[in-house]
Amino acid sequence: KAGVTQTPRYLIKTRGQQVTLSCSPISGHRSVSWYQQTPGQGLQFLFEYFSETQRNKGNFPGRFSGRQFSNSRSEMNVSTLELGDSALYLCASSYELAGVYEQFFGPGTRLTVL
Amino acid sequence: KQEVTQIPAALSVPEGENLVLNCSFTDSAIYNLQWFRQDPGKGLTSLLLIQSSQREQTSGRLNASLDKSSGRSTLYIAASQPGDSATYLCAVSLGGSNYKLTFGKGTLLTVNP
């Protein structure tokens, strides 16, 4: 089975621009979560989508948004970029089987805001 | 609010040594705990998942234990190799349709040949 894929792998943007990141989950996984990783804050949860609905949300400003499509692929959008948005953005897909819920991560998108 | 702490922050050992990485969490009402490995600039690789009802899980040279009541987990690596050098992250989820992972800051492991 193919793993979680994320595109693009690297992005350079300037302050004030917006960006869209894409995540394709493992086939059959219906849940997609997004995390931000920075050296200072570590890994922080952004949001989770399940069957095209946002199921959970972290403590990030409204500039961060996402959506999920009927094929479970997900996109994350950040508007009005700030320098502090520079980070590695990781997507994870999940399944639940017999009460076991395990998350599998993609390689990430490295976003640099200049 | 769930907080996860990993000790030590960094560890350097000679090849062949057995070692233990520690993880503690403040809210014992967890659904499961996962240990991950992250190589520089890369994504996370899931190593072991322990459900709240389990006490330990093993995979090859890795053994993870869970003591929910005390809010602790350990990752034991036997006969360490230079290829084990990476950052090891511990994460917990609360479950009940909230499966978000709360991560520790990780332990940076260096195994010297």
Side-chain angles (χ1 to χ4, degrees), chain A residues 1-5 24-32 71-73 93-95 104:
Chain A
K1 247 185 195 181
V4 178
T5 58
S24 292
I26 294 170
S27 177
H29 289 194
R30 294 166 63 192
S31 168
V32 173
N71 61 358
S72 293
R73 189 177 71 84
S93 78
S94 316
Y95 72 96
F104 298 87

Side-chain angles (χ1 to χ4, degrees), chain A residues 2-86:
Chain A
V4 178
T5 58
Q6 292 187 245
T7 57
R9 294 294 311 281
Y10 303 91
L11 265 179
I12 299 176
K13 294 285 187 178
T14 56
R15 278 184 301 174
Q17 287 187 309
Q18 76 165 21
V19 67
T20 299
L21 313 182
S22 181
C23 171
S24 292
I26 294 170
S27 177
H29 289 194
R30 294 166 63 192
S31 168
V32 173
S33 299
W34 290 88
Y35 294 82
Q36 180 196 65
Q37 186 176 33
T38 59
Q41 298 298 316
L43 273 150
Q44 294 184 286
F45 173 78
L46 281 154
F47 29 66
E48 181 212 4
Y49 286 86
F50 180 83
S51 293
E52 302 180 65
T53 301
Q54 187 180 86
R55 186 158 67 171
N56 289 293
K57 189 177 188 304
N59 296 322
F60 278 80
R63 300 186 296 106
F64 292 82
S65 63
R67 58 178 176 168
Q68 186 180 34
F69 302 94
S70 58
N71 61 358
S72 293
R73 189 177 71 84
S74 176
E75 287 182 348
M76 188 192 108
N77 185 76
V78 188
S79 62
T80 320
L81 284 166
E82 300 177 359
L83 295 179
D85 297 332
S86 294

